């Protein structure tokens, strides 16, 4: 599918969620997304586990879980259809025949008016997420949409350099990375400004020549989960900040315009600096599902 234009307006909607309150959070996210789309955004990005909150207690996670074809997908698909935009959001997905024996996944879905365009289950579970969720089983999908070639990953996935590299080499122009950034990986977390998570996004966007929009939720600890840190960012394919870091203490928002032609152009820095062509695939390579780059 050919993009509508080479310029895509993306809204970062960093919401302050209430862990364990899916109906309340869904209503909030719908209002924020509707407002952003009405103001001219083509694509709205909401955080990881935005609907149920960052819940890592197994019992609480099961309480907020819903299937892919549940009320959240229906609501956002309807909104996308009415506005002509797309929405990316995170939720706790239940997959299985019954409520009590269903597997739970930390899932992000990107929808348009026809339903899911991308359906991703988090590959790399962080810390106590291992107690509540099943590791993702859908690989690293990308999709050609009217707003460019999109990829998606979630939070801790960004700490594995193969993730963005595998998607960028397969053609992704923009990677959406909903997050619920927490401490624990780095030796320290700055109390203001950019988190170390953002530093990783900036470096990898430049090295992989892909734009990245990473939107974290922000919330206090509760309902079986730690506090989340905010600090969302959007970065172009040169690693230059387009927006952020957003607030570290509360809800925030920004809209960025991603030039898809500039993303593609970033793959060739000069006549003699060509990051894609300069790779020594005779020495190393990236393999994804049987294919090698």
């Amino acid at each position: 599918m050919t993009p509508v234009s080479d310029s895509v307006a993306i809204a970062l909607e960093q919401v302050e969620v209430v862990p364990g309150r899916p109906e309340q959070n869904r209503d909030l996210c719908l209002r924020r997304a509707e407002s952003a789309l009405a103001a001219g955004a083509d694509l709205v990005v909401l955080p990881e586990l935005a609907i149920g909150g960052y819940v890592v207690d197994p019992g609480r996670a099961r309480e907020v879980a819903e299937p892919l074809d549940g009320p959240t997908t229906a609501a956002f698909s309807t909104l996308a259809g009415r506005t002509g935009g797309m929405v990316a959001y995170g939720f706790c997905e239940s997959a299985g025949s019954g409520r009590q024996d269903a597997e739970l996944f930390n899932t992000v879905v990107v929808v348009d008016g026809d339903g899911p365009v991308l359906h991703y289950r988090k590959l790399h579970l962080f810390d106590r997420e291992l107690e509540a969720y099943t590791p993702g089983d859908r690989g690293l999908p990308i999709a050609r949409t009217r707003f460019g070639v999109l990829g998606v990953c979630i939070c801790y996935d960004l700490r594995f350099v193969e993730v963005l590299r595998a998607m960028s080499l397969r053609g992704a122009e923009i990677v959406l990375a909903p997050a619920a950034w927490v401490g624990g990986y780095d030796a320290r977390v700055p109390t203001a400004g950019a988190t170390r998570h953002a530093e990783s996004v900036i470096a990898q966007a430049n090295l992989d020549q892909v734009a990245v929009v990473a939107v974290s939720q922000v919330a206090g600890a509760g309902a079986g989960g730690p506090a989340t840190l905010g600090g969302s960012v959007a970065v172009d394919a040169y690693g230059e900040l387009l927006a952020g870091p957003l607030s570290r203490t509360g809800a925030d928002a920004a809209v960025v315009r991603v030039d898809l032609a500039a993303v593609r152009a970033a793959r060739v820095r000069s006549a003699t600096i060509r990051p894609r062509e300069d790779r020594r695939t005779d020495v190393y390579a990236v393999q994804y599902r049987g294919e090698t780059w």
Side-chain angles (χ1 to χ4, degrees):
M1 182 182 299
T2 302
V4 171
S5 72
D6 270 342
S7 181
V8 182
I10 304 178
L12 291 71
E13 293 295 328
Q14 177 177 293
V15 293
E16 187 168 2
V17 303
V18 180
R21 303 291 291 274
E23 293 83 8
Q24 178 178 330
N25 295 331
R26 184 187 305 116
D27 288 346
L28 170 64
C29 290
L30 281 165
R31 290 196 304 272
R32 292 278 295 265
E34 183 169 24
S35 178
L37 290 166
D42 299 310
L43 171 61
V44 175
V45 184
L46 291 154
E48 172 186 9
L49 296 175
I51 306 305
Y54 188 65
V55 175
V56 293
D57 174 79
R60 297 306 299 273
R62 196 162 294 280
E63 291 175 3
V64 302
E66 63 179 275
L68 177 64
D69 61 355
T72 298
T73 295
F76 280 112
S77 295
T78 298
L79 173 62
R82 189 169 69 248
T83 60
M86 298 176 71
V87 184
Y89 56 90
F91 72 108
C92 175
E93 178 193 1
S94 60
S97 57
R99 180 177 176 82
Q100 293 306 314
D101 60 358
E103 288 186 296
L104 302 184
F105 293 94
N106 184 335
T107 293
V108 163
V109 174
V110 183
V111 298
D112 63 11
D114 295 322
V117 174
L118 280 168
H119 174 204
Y120 173 70
R121 292 167 172 169
K122 189 174 184 178
L123 288 180
H124 304 95
L125 299 177
F126 184 73
D127 197 25
R128 289 187 58 201
E129 292 173 22
L130 292 161
E131 301 172 13
Y133 303 100
T134 299
D137 58 0
R138 298 185 58 83
L140 291 164
I142 62 173
R144 186 171 297 278
T145 78
R146 63 186 184 279
F147 300 131
V149 183
L150 304 180
V152 64
C153 64
I154 301 174
C155 200
Y156 188 38
D157 291 327
L158 290 166
R159 300 294 195 164
F160 298 85
V161 296
E162 298 86 354
V163 169
L164 284 186
R165 179 54 59 96
M167 285 190 282
S168 66
L169 291 178
R170 289 162 50 229
E173 296 166 329
I174 304 172
V175 173
L176 312 178
W181 284 336
V182 297
Y185 185 93
D186 299 301
R188 62 182 181 83
V189 178
T191 57
T195 67
R196 295 297 173 85
H197 310 81
E199 294 172 3
S200 176
V201 171
I202 291 167
Q204 291 187 74
N206 186 21
L207 296 176
D208 292 321
Q209 305 91 53
V210 62
V212 182
V213 179
V215 181
S216 176
Q217 59 165 272
V218 59
T228 50
L229 301 174
S232 306
V233 294
V235 184
D236 73 9
Y238 279 86
E240 297 292 327
L241 274 172
L242 299 174
L246 300 188
S247 173
R248 294 290 305 280
T249 59
D252 205 351
V255 176
V256 299
R257 191 161 287 279
V258 176
D259 183 337
L260 295 174
V263 171
R264 293 188 286 269
R267 300 168 185 172
V268 178
R269 303 292 168 93
S270 75
T272 54
I273 305 174
R274 299 171 175 264
R276 300 293 175 97
E277 297 175 26
D278 293 342
R279 297 176 63 246
R280 287 290 305 274
T281 53
D282 60 319
V283 177
Y284 56 79
V286 172
Q287 188 175 74
Y288 176 79
R289 292 193 161 178
E291 295 187 62
T292 302
W293 287 265

